[in-house]
Amino acid sequence: MMENNKVIEPLNSEFDFSKVPGWYALCFNAGCPLHDDCLHYLAGANVPENLEATKCVLPHMGRDGHCRWFDKTTVVTMASGFSRLYEHVLKKDYTSMRKNITAYLHGAKQYYQYMRGERPLTPEQQRGIQQIVRSYGYDWEVPFERYHSAYRFGNPPIESDK
């Protein structure tokens, strides 16, 4: 059985704008009734001085206490690196398991970036990898190498049919 001592690095008290994805729209509407709990607004409130242009949510979107761009500020535990994953995997399972995890992570390039800890794994991805490992009959927790708290940046809203 493998031991997994999960130490989670806490979120910095200062907002790190470098973690905001380039596709993420910013909001500057302090008058919106939802702004206190909205990650779009938090990101917009922490724009660095050197940013000259960006994608933004227009002020009229926050009418009547509703905004389809609202993204509740949520902190999740991300994991990085799983280079020790196969230490306790039987040789007969190794190739198949690695191929399944590679496919789950959308190909070899991404697989190696995640495995080396260059890209963080979301909670959903962590569970997906754990499910793959369990499907081979292993009951130990996947030994991710590092954990840290991070904001969950939601996807843009889906266009509604009009």
Side-chain angles (χ1 to χ4, degrees):
M1 185 169 284
M2 300 179 71
E3 256 188 62
N4 191 1
N5 298 327
K6 189 174 182 178
V7 176
I8 303 170
E9 183 180 321
L11 197 61
N12 281 337
S13 58
E14 269 188 47
F15 187 87
D16 183 358
F17 189 82
S18 70
K19 304 291 186 200
V20 177
W23 53 263
Y24 199 71
L26 308 180
C27 178
F28 306 97
N29 186 1
C32 175
L34 302 172
H35 84 275
D36 284 336
D37 294 321
C38 184
L39 192 53
H40 288 285
Y41 184 80
L42 180 61
N46 287 279
V47 170
E49 290 288 321
N50 62 346
L51 185 66
E52 295 180 9
T54 190
K55 181 177 184 178
C56 68
V57 178
L58 295 175
H60 67 271
M61 293 307 299
R63 288 191 194 139
D64 303 323
H66 297 10
C67 177
R68 70 187 196 102
W69 286 86
F70 177 72
D71 187 11
K72 183 164 179 53
T73 302
T74 306
V75 176
V76 296
T77 301
M78 305 291 274
S80 298
F82 54 90
S83 62
R84 296 181 10 237
L85 171 63
Y86 303 105
E87 287 178 0
H88 298 283
V89 171
L90 297 174
K91 185 176 182 178
K92 70 178 182 67
D93 296 330
Y94 170 78
T95 300
S96 174
M97 184 186 290
R98 186 180 49 76
K99 285 182 179 179
N100 281 327
I101 293 172
T102 299
Y104 176 74
L105 295 174
H106 307 291
K109 179 180 179 182
Q110 289 89 337
Y111 168 86
Y112 286 107
Q113 289 173 335
Y114 286 117
M115 186 201 61
R116 292 188 299 249
E118 296 168 6
R119 296 176 89 163
L121 292 153
T122 66
E124 294 79 17
Q125 290 170 315
Q126 295 167 50
R127 283 191 293 277
I129 292 170
Q130 186 69 58
Q131 287 173 347
I132 293 169
V133 170
R134 290 227 164 97
S135 75
Y136 286 84
Y138 300 100
D139 63 354
W140 36 263
E141 291 295 314
V142 172
F144 296 111
E145 293 158 16
R146 290 175 307 285
Y147 294 91
H148 68 276
S149 297
Y151 290 107
R152 176 189 299 277
F153 292 94
N155 292 322
I158 297 170
E159 292 296 322
S160 59
D161 295 330
K162 294 184 179 180

